[in-house]
Amino acid sequence: MTGRALTNTARKPAEPWRRRLIRSLLYGRNVDRAAKARARVGLAILLFAAIYAVLAGRLVMFAVGADSHGGRRTASQDAIATARPDIVDRNGEVLATDVKAPSLFGEPRRIIDKDEAIELLTAALPDLDTAEARTRLSSRKGFVWLKREITPKQQHDIHKLGIPGIGFLRENKRVYPTGAAVAHLIGLVNIDNAGIAGMEKWLDNNGLADLHRAGFATDRLQKPVELSIDLRVEHALRDELLKAKEKYKAKAASGLVSNVRTGEIVALVSLPDFDPNNPKEAHDPERINRLTTGVFEMGSTFKALTLAMALDSGKANLNTLYDGRGTLKFGKFTIHDTHPVGRAITLSEVFTFSSNVGAAKIALAQGVEAHKAFLKKLGQMDRLRTELPESASPIVPKRWTELNTITASFGHGIAVAPLQAVMGINACINGGLLIPPTFLKRSEEEARAIAKKVLRTETSDKMRYLMRLNAEIGTAKKADVKGYYIGGKTGTSEKVVNGRYSKKQVLNSFTAIIPADNPQYQLLVMLDEPKALPETHGFITSGWNAVPTGGKVIARIGPLLGIEPRFDLPPSDRLILAASKTTQ
């Protein structure tokens, strides 16, 4: 026994301790190594099978959905036109909407022969910039745009060419069904469907851009944006302004319709305008929005503010007399009237005769500081902010003296945005409420909640009387459309040419309220540098061109605004003043 044991021990030498340690760490103690090896082989087989399945699936995805894959890859490299909500007018008519349009892209790494690809693409797209396309396809990028927003036919022709590495993405393209009708209000977008002007830019500034970045605005389920604009009124106003611009050979024409009770802008037109479907037209500096972006000396329409100031102060009434017999000299300047009366005139006659001398004396009687404070209270001294990003600050004298008060009393020496002047006049005739203008729908209750009382109701009554009286016997007679009982004020502002006021180059304006006894809307018409015609007897002042244009607009938009004609109404002193608390 002892001998056999010694023999076996000799046959199986002792395992080194290092090997025993390694085997213990790798396999543990008392483990069937063969079974464990088979399990590992099986696991490896499953792992490789899963890897090959993923690769096969990705190849199928590349083959079936190459275009959509390219689109996903571009998210971090190139901007893709995102979805935007529809913009509609107050009656639901679509002003701006998205449609799907194909765009052409390339994957330079997959293109075999770049010269051949460019030659074939140029044949299908004659307007393709060959040099730029060659530069893009020669890059090392995985994705490049070649042509945005191509036509379906162009897509079909390129698809038939079968060029490897060339594909299409369907993008959102902004279209404007109404063309130039509301161009200055709607604005436009860039190639990536991001707003760059007008209400389109306002949308991005008010959260839409943030939604896009967060990925929550990628479909067409967004709620339409309802504007205050009435497309029917817009068309009528634009049509009449186009006719007037051509008839009087004016450099430009513009106008707007405002709801005096809510501040809503019902129509806004500035000519020349542009078609937002053709963005290149918007770059013309002559096509600016003159009603919000431009600032102008508004001329005699400012007299409405001057008289409202005097009446509201209690220092003057409708019968207060002012010396209108001659000119007003101030230093080296002489103020004169276009049609001097040659006698003392009442405050009412200052308005109906549109007397510069009378307006200057009314303002001087109030004082320089009181005049500045009143204009500031009516929003004429500060930049007007609305939904439209394009707005200009008024041009106000840095040092306001008596001379500035004199000239500003009849609308010279201070330049404001026309929409700004409309807001101030609205306050003069709507009961004394200063209501910020808006291009979005707003109820009367919402307007009253943000309105600021700036004039006494009695003052507003007298201003409505003066506006109506001016249509009965004053400079606004040519706009007195029967049945609508309008009120109005004209303005002829001489333009500054080479540092001097020119009598031959004028900016004419006419503001009308409809109806004067219970105003609902204000209309502003402006003609820039109208020319004299035989029928105007050589005159270029507002009463001969802007006023009759305003009358034609009122005749067309009155029924659209739901204003029923009323005939055989009493004159203004009986219908308006008699209903006022005071008649003085």
Side-chain angles (χ1 to χ4, degrees), residues 226-245:
E226 295 182 300
L227 302 187
S228 58
I229 294 295
D230 187 322
L231 189 58
R232 304 168 305 167
V233 178
E234 182 83 7
H235 276 300
L237 176 61
R238 184 173 183 270
D239 184 52
E240 291 299 334
L241 288 176
L242 282 169
K243 293 176 182 177
K245 181 176 180 293

mmCIF file of all heavy atoms in Angstrom, residues 226-245:
data_model
loop_
_atom_site.group_PDB
_atom_site.id
_atom_site.type_symbol
_atom_site.label_atom_id
_atom_site.label_comp_id
_atom_site.label_asym_id
_atom_site.label_seq_id
_atom_site.Cartn_x
_atom_site.Cartn_y
_atom_site.Cartn_z
ATOM 1 N N GLU A 226 -55.687 85.109 -34.495
ATOM 2 C CA GLU A 226 -56.755 85.956 -35.027
ATOM 3 C C GLU A 226 -56.367 87.426 -34.910
ATOM 4 O O GLU A 226 -56.107 87.929 -33.815
ATOM 5 C CB GLU A 226 -58.056 85.708 -34.264
ATOM 6 C CG GLU A 226 -58.620 84.309 -34.442
ATOM 7 C CD GLU A 226 -59.929 84.126 -33.700
ATOM 8 O OE1 GLU A 226 -59.937 84.289 -32.467
ATOM 9 O OE2 GLU A 226 -60.938 83.840 -34.363
ATOM 10 N N LEU A 227 -56.347 88.114 -36.047
ATOM 11 C CA LEU A 227 -56.016 89.524 -36.069
ATOM 12 C C LEU A 227 -57.279 90.373 -36.032
ATOM 13 O O LEU A 227 -58.394 89.888 -36.251
ATOM 14 C CB LEU A 227 -55.200 89.865 -37.318
ATOM 15 C CG LEU A 227 -53.881 89.104 -37.511
ATOM 16 C CD1 LEU A 227 -53.121 89.688 -38.697
ATOM 17 C CD2 LEU A 227 -53.031 89.142 -36.263
ATOM 18 N N SER A 228 -57.090 91.653 -35.787
ATOM 19 C CA SER A 228 -58.217 92.591 -35.772
ATOM 20 C C SER A 228 -58.592 93.047 -37.175
ATOM 21 O O SER A 228 -59.631 93.675 -37.384
ATOM 22 C CB SER A 228 -57.851 93.814 -34.929
ATOM 23 O OG SER A 228 -56.684 94.441 -35.440
ATOM 24 N N ILE A 229 -57.772 92.731 -38.146
ATOM 25 C CA ILE A 229 -57.969 93.182 -39.523
ATOM 26 C C ILE A 229 -59.212 92.552 -40.136
ATOM 27 O O ILE A 229 -59.486 91.362 -39.944
ATOM 28 C CB ILE A 229 -56.733 92.824 -40.366
ATOM 29 C CG1 ILE A 229 -55.522 93.618 -39.899
ATOM 30 C CG2 ILE A 229 -56.982 93.058 -41.847
ATOM 31 C CD1 ILE A 229 -55.636 95.108 -40.109
ATOM 32 N N ASP A 230 -59.966 93.357 -40.886
ATOM 33 C CA ASP A 230 -61.086 92.867 -41.693
ATOM 34 C C ASP A 230 -60.620 92.925 -43.141
ATOM 35 O O ASP A 230 -60.419 94.015 -43.700
ATOM 36 C CB ASP A 230 -62.320 93.741 -41.484
ATOM 37 C CG ASP A 230 -63.556 93.171 -42.156
ATOM 38 O OD1 ASP A 230 -63.431 92.619 -43.270
ATOM 39 O OD2 ASP A 230 -64.657 93.279 -41.584
ATOM 40 N N LEU A 231 -60.427 91.763 -43.758
ATOM 41 C CA LEU A 231 -59.858 91.699 -45.098
ATOM 42 C C LEU A 231 -60.708 92.446 -46.114
ATOM 43 O O LEU A 231 -60.185 93.032 -47.066
ATOM 44 C CB LEU A 231 -59.680 90.236 -45.518
ATOM 45 C CG LEU A 231 -58.900 89.984 -46.808
ATOM 46 C CD1 LEU A 231 -57.509 90.586 -46.735
ATOM 47 C CD2 LEU A 231 -58.819 88.482 -47.093
ATOM 48 N N ARG A 232 -62.018 92.468 -45.924
ATOM 49 C CA ARG A 232 -62.900 93.189 -46.850
ATOM 50 C C ARG A 232 -62.627 94.686 -46.814
ATOM 51 O O ARG A 232 -62.524 95.349 -47.856
ATOM 52 C CB ARG A 232 -64.360 92.918 -46.502
ATOM 53 C CG ARG A 232 -64.756 91.448 -46.467
ATOM 54 C CD ARG A 232 -66.117 91.287 -45.825
ATOM 55 N NE ARG A 232 -66.147 91.893 -44.488
ATOM 56 C CZ ARG A 232 -67.259 92.125 -43.801
ATOM 57 N NH1 ARG A 232 -68.429 91.822 -44.321
ATOM 58 N NH2 ARG A 232 -67.199 92.664 -42.591
ATOM 59 N N VAL A 233 -62.502 95.226 -45.610
ATOM 60 C CA VAL A 233 -62.206 96.652 -45.453
ATOM 61 C C VAL A 233 -60.807 96.952 -45.983
ATOM 62 O O VAL A 233 -60.572 97.991 -46.607
ATOM 63 C CB VAL A 233 -62.343 97.059 -43.976
ATOM 64 C CG1 VAL A 233 -61.998 98.532 -43.778
ATOM 65 C CG2 VAL A 233 -63.744 96.770 -43.470
ATOM 66 N N GLU A 234 -59.889 96.040 -45.737
ATOM 67 C CA GLU A 234 -58.520 96.196 -46.215
ATOM 68 C C GLU A 234 -58.483 96.331 -47.735
ATOM 69 O O GLU A 234 -57.805 97.215 -48.290
ATOM 70 C CB GLU A 234 -57.681 94.998 -45.778
ATOM 71 C CG GLU A 234 -56.219 95.066 -46.168
ATOM 72 C CD GLU A 234 -55.367 95.870 -45.214
ATOM 73 O OE1 GLU A 234 -55.872 96.279 -44.158
ATOM 74 O OE2 GLU A 234 -54.189 96.110 -45.532
ATOM 75 N N HIS A 235 -59.217 95.473 -48.434
ATOM 76 C CA HIS A 235 -59.248 95.513 -49.901
ATOM 77 C C HIS A 235 -59.840 96.827 -50.396
ATOM 78 O O HIS A 235 -59.322 97.433 -51.351
ATOM 79 C CB HIS A 235 -60.053 94.335 -50.442
ATOM 80 C CG HIS A 235 -59.261 93.072 -50.572
ATOM 81 N ND1 HIS A 235 -58.135 92.952 -51.356
ATOM 82 C CD2 HIS A 235 -59.433 91.843 -50.016
ATOM 83 C CE1 HIS A 235 -57.642 91.733 -51.279
ATOM 84 N NE2 HIS A 235 -58.416 91.033 -50.469
ATOM 85 N N ALA A 236 -60.925 97.273 -49.788
ATOM 86 C CA ALA A 236 -61.575 98.509 -50.224
ATOM 87 C C ALA A 236 -60.647 99.706 -50.016
ATOM 88 O O ALA A 236 -60.513 100.568 -50.903
ATOM 89 C CB ALA A 236 -62.883 98.705 -49.467
ATOM 90 N N LEU A 237 -60.008 99.773 -48.844
ATOM 91 C CA LEU A 237 -59.096 100.881 -48.561
ATOM 92 C C LEU A 237 -57.913 100.871 -49.522
ATOM 93 O O LEU A 237 -57.539 101.916 -50.076
ATOM 94 C CB LEU A 237 -58.612 100.783 -47.107
ATOM 95 C CG LEU A 237 -57.562 101.804 -46.661
ATOM 96 C CD1 LEU A 237 -58.098 103.220 -46.788
ATOM 97 C CD2 LEU A 237 -57.109 101.523 -45.227
ATOM 98 N N ARG A 238 -57.339 99.715 -49.734
ATOM 99 C CA ARG A 238 -56.180 99.622 -50.631
ATOM 100 C C ARG A 238 -56.548 100.002 -52.053
ATOM 101 O O ARG A 238 -55.786 100.699 -52.752
ATOM 102 C CB ARG A 238 -55.599 98.211 -50.585
ATOM 103 C CG ARG A 238 -54.321 98.031 -51.405
ATOM 104 C CD ARG A 238 -53.700 96.662 -51.172
ATOM 105 N NE ARG A 238 -52.444 96.518 -51.889
ATOM 106 C CZ ARG A 238 -52.343 96.057 -53.135
ATOM 107 N NH1 ARG A 238 -53.428 95.663 -53.791
ATOM 108 N NH2 ARG A 238 -51.158 95.977 -53.734
ATOM 109 N N ASP A 239 -57.698 99.561 -52.503
ATOM 110 C CA ASP A 239 -58.126 99.860 -53.866
ATOM 111 C C ASP A 239 -58.287 101.365 -54.076
ATOM 112 O O ASP A 239 -57.829 101.922 -55.083
ATOM 113 C CB ASP A 239 -59.447 99.139 -54.154
ATOM 114 C CG ASP A 239 -59.894 99.326 -55.596
ATOM 115 O OD1 ASP A 239 -59.090 99.062 -56.501
ATOM 116 O OD2 ASP A 239 -61.045 99.754 -55.812
ATOM 117 N N GLU A 240 -58.911 102.051 -53.130
ATOM 118 C CA GLU A 240 -59.109 103.496 -53.261
ATOM 119 C C GLU A 240 -57.786 104.256 -53.150
ATOM 120 O O GLU A 240 -57.589 105.271 -53.835
ATOM 121 C CB GLU A 240 -60.096 103.995 -52.211
ATOM 122 C CG GLU A 240 -61.531 103.527 -52.429
ATOM 123 C CD GLU A 240 -62.119 104.006 -53.757
ATOM 124 O OE1 GLU A 240 -61.658 105.052 -54.279
ATOM 125 O OE2 GLU A 240 -63.024 103.336 -54.278
ATOM 126 N N LEU A 241 -56.875 103.774 -52.318
ATOM 127 C CA LEU A 241 -55.584 104.434 -52.209
ATOM 128 C C LEU A 241 -54.745 104.239 -53.472
ATOM 129 O O LEU A 241 -54.029 105.165 -53.901
ATOM 130 C CB LEU A 241 -54.819 103.904 -50.987
ATOM 131 C CG LEU A 241 -55.344 104.344 -49.622
ATOM 132 C CD1 LEU A 241 -54.560 103.662 -48.502
ATOM 133 C CD2 LEU A 241 -55.257 105.860 -49.462
ATOM 134 N N LEU A 242 -54.838 103.074 -54.082
ATOM 135 C CA LEU A 242 -54.147 102.845 -55.361
ATOM 136 C C LEU A 242 -54.671 103.800 -56.431
ATOM 137 O O LEU A 242 -53.883 104.384 -57.199
ATOM 138 C CB LEU A 242 -54.337 101.391 -55.812
ATOM 139 C CG LEU A 242 -53.476 100.332 -55.116
ATOM 140 C CD1 LEU A 242 -53.953 98.928 -55.474
ATOM 141 C CD2 LEU A 242 -52.005 100.502 -55.485
ATOM 142 N N LYS A 243 -55.977 103.962 -56.485
ATOM 143 C CA LYS A 243 -56.573 104.877 -57.464
ATOM 144 C C LYS A 243 -56.139 106.316 -57.199
ATOM 145 O O LYS A 243 -55.814 107.069 -58.129
ATOM 146 C CB LYS A 243 -58.095 104.767 -57.417
ATOM 147 C CG LYS A 243 -58.648 103.437 -57.894
ATOM 148 C CD LYS A 243 -60.163 103.382 -57.721
ATOM 149 C CE LYS A 243 -60.717 102.044 -58.155
ATOM 150 N NZ LYS A 243 -62.193 101.951 -57.911
ATOM 151 N N ALA A 244 -56.140 106.718 -55.918
ATOM 152 C CA ALA A 244 -55.759 108.089 -55.580
ATOM 153 C C ALA A 244 -54.278 108.331 -55.873
ATOM 154 O O ALA A 244 -53.899 109.405 -56.372
ATOM 155 C CB ALA A 244 -56.057 108.358 -54.111
ATOM 156 N N LYS A 245 -53.432 107.359 -55.563
ATOM 157 C CA LYS A 245 -52.000 107.502 -55.820
ATOM 158 C C LYS A 245 -51.735 107.715 -57.301
ATOM 159 O O LYS A 245 -50.909 108.550 -57.704
ATOM 160 C CB LYS A 245 -51.260 106.265 -55.308
ATOM 161 C CG LYS A 245 -49.750 106.282 -55.495
ATOM 162 C CD LYS A 245 -49.123 105.057 -54.860
ATOM 163 C CE LYS A 245 -47.607 105.034 -55.026
ATOM 164 N NZ LYS A 245 -47.210 104.853 -56.435
#
